[in-house]
Amino acid sequence: MTDDHAQLYDTLVARRYFAKFQRITSYLPRVAGELEAEGRLSRPEARAIGGYVQALTRTFHALSLKYLMSGRIDGPLPGRLTFDRHESGFPVAQELMVMANDALQAERHLSGMASETEIKDRMIRTIVGDLIIPTQLQFALSQRLYYEALRQGGLFWPRNDPEAAWVAEGKGRRLWRLCWAVWDTQINLPVIYLMEVHDSGRVALPKDDRRWPAVQAHLMAQSLGGLKLLTIAQGFDSDFDSLHPHRLRRLHLGPMYSHAFTLQSGPISDVLSEAQADPGDDWALVWTLEDLVAERAEQVKTGWFSTAERQIFALDPFAGRGAETGATRTERMVILPERPFQVLAERNPPGFRDVKKFVVATNGRVMVQR
């Protein structure tokens, strides 16, 4: 797997990499807005996704500060960003784990550093007095800004624990929307989960000291890309008799393909190669939205004198693929600039004909194409 990883040694290359992701993540809320307008996402779901995208943007910003001086400092520090150039195009999960550890110690680091004003003053005196570029001071400033970004919080972490939002109440049950996210360590991608669950318990789920911690731990333990939605939902349904999962969604934000950075294969490789787009426009980002919906419920015996409600989930009826995907439906979407889209439309490869396409115009507008 490590053969698929690459490091960014050059300062300008690293900055182009982060600039590319800054641009890409700025389009994602608009894509969520288009899906909301089409009725594929509810407004709370679109807002939840938008919140995770904002956190992802802050994470890339923090990493860009950490590696701002890559290639300009001798020795093992400050290190170089390692990213998955074959499978995802995103930073490897270890980068986020190190960042999470840095966040725990951010306050201690900042307390021992000179202030931003002091560092800038020293930089000016070094330039004017010694007539040299203050590389070490530039590095010190970049690290201070990195820890300040961590202290501000609101980043996308390796584990973003579940949050519950009340939706409705009726017939003795409350409807909650649970959302959580992880940076999948197997595929190096940010993954967002959305679950609608009916609660027949006496105490509201977020205030229930017995169930809520167990629910959070259960969901985080099951948030693995290798598990089908059906497996996750059925396991949750059987482990919590008073909670009835009505719908479960999973959104993969990626992979990101770039002619300059990743080793993509298949039709997307030909498209990006033939497009010969400018460095900021030579990319394509895939979204995969899996959706699992319960079609009915039934009572099953759980003991000699007890029964419990269990959900029966609808699977994709087409050609028996439901059993293979473990979802009611799976939709793949791709976001890409105009130039690569023009080449994609001309080539029209079979695998992309049913993929929903979001095209980014030169003015930043996001348009939906089939």
Side-chain angles (χ1 to χ4, degrees):
M1 180 179 292
T2 54
D3 292 339
D4 296 332
H5 298 171
Q7 292 185 325
L8 298 177
Y9 289 86
D10 186 84
T11 305
L12 295 180
V13 174
R15 293 181 183 180
R16 282 204 301 270
Y17 178 83
F18 286 114
K20 186 184 298 293
F21 266 105
Q22 183 180 15
R23 185 175 182 184
I24 292 174
T25 53
S26 70
Y27 301 132
L28 301 187
R30 303 177 205 178
V31 174
E34 289 290 341
L35 294 176
E36 178 192 345
E38 294 179 358
R40 296 173 183 270
L41 292 175
S42 66
R43 175 159 297 183
E45 288 174 333
R47 287 180 177 175
I49 292 172
Y52 287 118
V53 170
Q54 288 182 356
L56 189 62
T57 302
R58 296 189 190 101
T59 291
F60 275 108
H61 176 63
L63 288 174
S64 71
L65 294 172
K66 178 180 179 180
Y67 294 110
L68 189 65
M69 300 297 291
S70 292
R72 296 187 61 188
I73 297 290
D74 295 331
L77 295 177
R80 306 173 183 92
L81 176 79
T82 303
F83 73 104
D84 186 343
R85 63 176 176 174
H86 185 73
E87 295 293 338
S88 77
F90 280 68
V92 298
Q94 187 179 3
E95 292 285 353
L96 271 78
M97 295 177 186
V98 173
M99 189 183 71
N101 185 63
D102 289 343
L104 296 175
Q105 306 177 68
E107 198 63 48
R108 184 171 61 84
H109 282 284
L110 288 170
S111 64
M113 291 180 169
S115 69
E116 180 178 347
T117 303
E118 291 173 337
I119 297 175
K120 288 182 177 178
D121 182 63
R122 293 177 191 173
M123 291 168 63
I124 293 173
R125 283 189 277 117
T126 301
I127 295 171
V128 175
D130 302 337
L131 300 179
I132 60 174
I133 298 175
T135 305
Q136 293 294 340
L137 290 173
Q138 289 175 322
F139 171 64
L141 180 57
S142 70
Q143 297 309 290
R144 177 171 184 89
L145 296 177
Y146 167 61
Y147 285 112
E148 286 181 351
L150 297 184
R151 184 173 62 179
Q152 290 174 1
L155 287 81
F156 195 103
W157 303 109
R159 293 163 51 100
N160 304 272
D161 289 348
E163 299 178 1
W166 178 85
V167 178
E169 185 169 359
K171 299 181 180 179
R173 293 186 174 188
R174 306 176 186 87
L175 176 60
W176 301 99
R177 179 175 295 105
L178 310 183
C179 58
W180 68 101
V182 297
W183 195 281
D184 196 298
T185 57
Q186 295 180 336
I187 54 178
N188 293 313
L189 284 181
V191 183
I192 299 171
Y193 291 83
L194 302 165
M195 173 185 282
E196 291 181 1
V197 57
H198 288 99
D199 178 12
S200 58
R202 294 182 179 179
V203 181
L205 179 59
K207 297 181 180 179
D208 192 329
D209 294 333
R210 295 183 178 180
R211 293 185 301 162
W212 184 227
V215 166
Q216 291 178 302
H218 178 98
L219 293 177
M220 294 309 300
Q222 295 294 304
S223 301
L224 302 173
L227 288 181
K228 299 175 181 177
L229 288 189
L230 182 63
T231 303
I232 299 173
Q234 287 181 333
F236 184 86
D237 193 26
S238 62
D239 284 358
F240 300 95
D241 289 344
S242 59
L243 296 172
H244 318 288
H246 173 69
R247 186 172 199 175
L248 177 60
R249 286 180 158 186
R250 178 165 59 189
L251 175 62
H252 289 82
L253 296 180
M256 188 281 291
Y257 299 107
S258 167
H259 187 59
F261 290 102
T262 62
L263 299 176
Q264 60 278 348
S265 59
I268 194 66
S269 174
D270 300 331
V271 168
L272 293 177
S273 177
E274 185 176 333
Q276 296 184 347
D278 295 334
D281 293 331
D282 67 331
W283 56 270
L285 182 79
V286 176
W287 269 30
T288 303
L289 179 60
E290 302 169 89
D291 195 1
L292 179 68
V293 180
E295 60 180 5
R296 58 187 172 86
E298 64 180 23
Q299 295 291 327
V300 298
K301 290 184 66 64
T302 56
W304 286 99
F305 305 104
S306 61
T307 61
E309 179 181 313
R310 294 287 182 262
Q311 305 300 305
I312 306 299
F313 295 96
L315 297 179
D316 189 346
F318 296 104
R321 292 184 63 244
E324 177 184 338
T325 63
T328 305
R329 64 186 69 86
T330 301
E331 187 172 14
R332 291 174 65 84
M333 296 162 273
V334 62
I335 309 158
L336 69 177
E338 280 184 324
R339 179 59 188 155
F341 170 72
Q342 290 173 357
V343 176
L344 179 65
E346 292 169 1
R347 297 180 67 92
N348 195 22
F352 283 82
R353 289 170 185 167
D354 295 329
V355 175
K356 194 178 189 68
K357 303 165 187 74
F358 295 90
V359 183
V360 179
T362 53
N363 60 3
R365 183 183 175 190
V366 177
M367 300 173 290
V368 183
Q369 298 288 336
R370 275 289 183 184

